[in-house]
Amino acid sequence: MQITIQMVVNDENGETTCEDIIKLDKSSDTLSGIGLSLEDSKDLLKSLQNNIVNYQAQVYTNMHTACPHCDKKRRIKGNHTIQYRTLFGIVTIPSRRVYRCECEDENTKTVSILTDWLSEHNAPELQYIETKWASLMSYGMTADLLKDILPIGDALNSSTIRNHLHKVAKRQEKELAVKPSTIDGSPHDWEQLPKPGKPINVGIDGGYVRNWHEKNTNFEVIIGKSFSKDVSTKRFGMVQILEAEPRKRLLSVLVEQGMQANQQISFLSDGADNVRNLQYDMYPESSHILDWFHVTMRLTVLNQYAKGVINTDPELGAIVQKDLESIKWYLWHGN
């Protein structure tokens, strides 16, 4: 059997256009012929995306060919094409360049109509998926996986993924730069604020990563997770020696979660000076807790010491072990 999939468009004027998107030859005799195959879905999404984007571009071009100020028709200088990269393939779009009207106060004599419409040639959803997956796996694996399940184009490679991730990261850095690095107001003002939500807990720790370019050296990365019962979880990270405003980064995460100046916040860390100073400088009224993993790690070492004492002085060793058990119990119950 032959199946034809069409795109039907009802425009603002009430006119309807119908266009064939793809034709599929399907057989019910084999298991592989049931439903859409992966290649069928890729072809369908690619064809549909191409038709939708080109139709939208044509509508936008027709609406903006005239001067935006006096509505006078502008002369056409020429036509060219631009490529728009999407999750469902690279779309080639006809683009029109026109002469500016005399009433337009601009430095350039001509303008490409689609410049404002497509400020970037990479779709936001494509950049989002690339960035999200590349943060969870290698750039090469991200490129291979995207090409396996989406009609994204054979030109995609690890270098492209890396460049797009860095571009998104730089954009986020610029957005972070406009945010404050300290809490506004004074304790007297904070008391007048509405009752805050549930307490926010922030787990923060540091670790060392080997330098890719200089294999014999390491650099420290500080990462953390902020969570509460009534807000979504946020994660953050920074390279200690490169981050100019670490307090601003942490504060921006908490502000996005709806933190108020009178909010209850508990920081859990290993007690290292670098992470504790970051917490104290930003939110002096918070409580700071040594996290249980690092507490038990230290107690484990002391227990090994107590076992050694038992071999030489059983009575003293038993006293040490009993005291360690008491310490563990007191700490677990908040004392």
Side-chain angles (χ1 to χ4, degrees):
M1 70 180 74
Q2 189 177 74
I3 300 173
T4 302
I5 299 177
Q6 296 180 323
M7 183 180 76
V8 179
V9 179
N10 297 313
D11 61 23
E12 296 176 351
N13 300 322
E15 297 181 359
T16 301
T17 57
C18 185
E19 185 174 353
D20 291 349
I21 298 297
I22 191 173
K23 293 183 179 179
L24 303 173
D25 291 319
K26 288 292 177 181
S27 172
S28 301
D29 299 333
T30 60
L31 185 63
S32 60
I34 300 176
L36 288 173
S37 66
L38 180 59
E39 289 304 317
D40 290 339
S41 66
K42 287 184 177 181
D43 292 340
L44 173 59
L45 288 171
K46 186 175 182 180
S47 299
L48 187 60
Q49 182 79 308
N50 185 76
N51 280 267
I52 291 176
V53 173
N54 272 284
Y55 183 85
Q56 291 175 308
Q58 182 181 357
V59 172
Y60 185 89
T61 300
N62 294 337
M63 292 174 59
H64 293 81
T65 300
C67 174
H69 303 290
C70 65
D71 207 30
K72 180 181 177 181
K73 188 175 181 179
R74 295 184 288 190
R75 292 186 300 120
I76 299 174
K77 183 182 187 298
N79 294 284
H80 60 283
T81 59
I82 59 176
Q83 289 191 329
Y84 186 55
R85 299 183 68 254
T86 75
L87 272 175
F88 309 120
I90 300 175
V91 181
T92 301
I93 309 172
S95 180
R96 182 178 300 169
R97 179 169 289 276
V98 297
Y99 289 99
R100 291 192 181 276
C101 182
E102 296 178 355
C103 66
E104 293 184 78
D105 186 17
E106 298 289 344
N107 296 327
T108 58
K109 294 183 179 180
T110 63
V111 61
S112 176
I113 294 178
L114 296 183
T115 299
D116 293 334
W117 191 59
L118 295 178
S119 56
E120 293 189 16
H121 289 189
N122 298 298
E125 280 193 334
L126 173 64
Q127 296 183 61
Y128 168 75
I129 292 296
E130 287 178 340
T131 303
K132 181 178 180 179
W133 289 10
S135 65
L136 301 173
M137 64 185 82
S138 68
Y139 299 135
M141 290 180 64
T142 299
D144 292 339
L145 182 58
L146 286 172
K147 286 190 284 189
D148 281 345
I149 63 175
L150 294 170
I152 206 163
D154 295 332
L156 184 70
N157 53 43
S158 58
S159 297
T160 304
I161 297 289
R162 183 178 63 250
N163 293 338
H164 289 174
L165 184 143
H166 289 177
K167 187 175 182 180
V168 172
K170 289 178 180 178
R171 184 189 304 136
Q172 291 179 326
E173 290 291 336
K174 289 181 179 179
E175 294 174 357
L176 183 66
V178 300
K179 295 182 178 179
S181 57
T182 56
I183 300 173
D184 295 330
S186 64
H188 179 269
D189 299 329
W190 301 341
E191 294 176 357
Q192 312 303 319
L193 293 173
K195 184 180 179 181
K198 296 289 184 180
I200 295 178
N201 298 304
V202 181
I204 185 170
D205 200 358
Y208 288 90
V209 179
R210 187 175 300 280
N211 191 323
W212 175 260
H213 302 288
E214 300 177 13
K215 305 294 185 181
N216 295 329
T217 61
N218 300 325
F219 60 90
E220 187 179 19
V221 177
I222 293 179
I223 58 174
K225 178 180 178 181
S226 174
F227 56 95
S228 180
K229 288 186 177 180
D230 53 0
V231 297
S232 58
T233 300
K234 293 282 186 180
R235 295 172 176 83
F236 60 93
M238 67 192 79
V239 178
Q240 178 75 353
I241 60 174
L242 297 179
E243 183 59 51
E245 292 283 352
R247 289 178 298 172
K248 185 180 293 185
R249 182 176 296 278
L250 178 53
L251 184 60
S252 68
V253 172
L254 297 175
V255 170
E256 288 178 1
Q257 289 183 297
M259 182 200 73
Q260 296 181 179
N262 58 347
Q263 189 95 34
Q264 287 181 285
I265 297 182
S266 296
F267 287 98
L268 294 90
S269 70
D270 60 359
D273 291 339
N274 54 351
V275 294
R276 287 182 69 84
N277 291 338
L278 170 64
Q279 303 158 24
Y280 280 127
D281 291 343
M282 190 214 68
Y283 205 88
E285 300 300 324
S286 58
S287 54
H288 303 267
I289 304 170
L290 190 66
D291 68 72
W292 187 246
F293 171 78
H294 290 91
V295 170
T296 54
M297 187 169 62
R298 285 157 174 76
L299 290 173
T300 300
V301 175
L302 291 173
N303 271 310
Q304 294 298 325
Y305 167 77
K307 291 178 181 178
V309 173
I310 290 176
N311 295 329
T312 57
D313 191 337
E315 184 177 352
L316 177 60
I319 294 173
V320 173
Q321 279 191 325
K322 183 178 179 181
D323 288 343
L324 287 173
E325 285 297 320
S326 298
I327 290 172
K328 189 174 183 180
W329 189 91
Y330 282 127
L331 289 173
W332 178 255
H333 291 83
N335 299 319

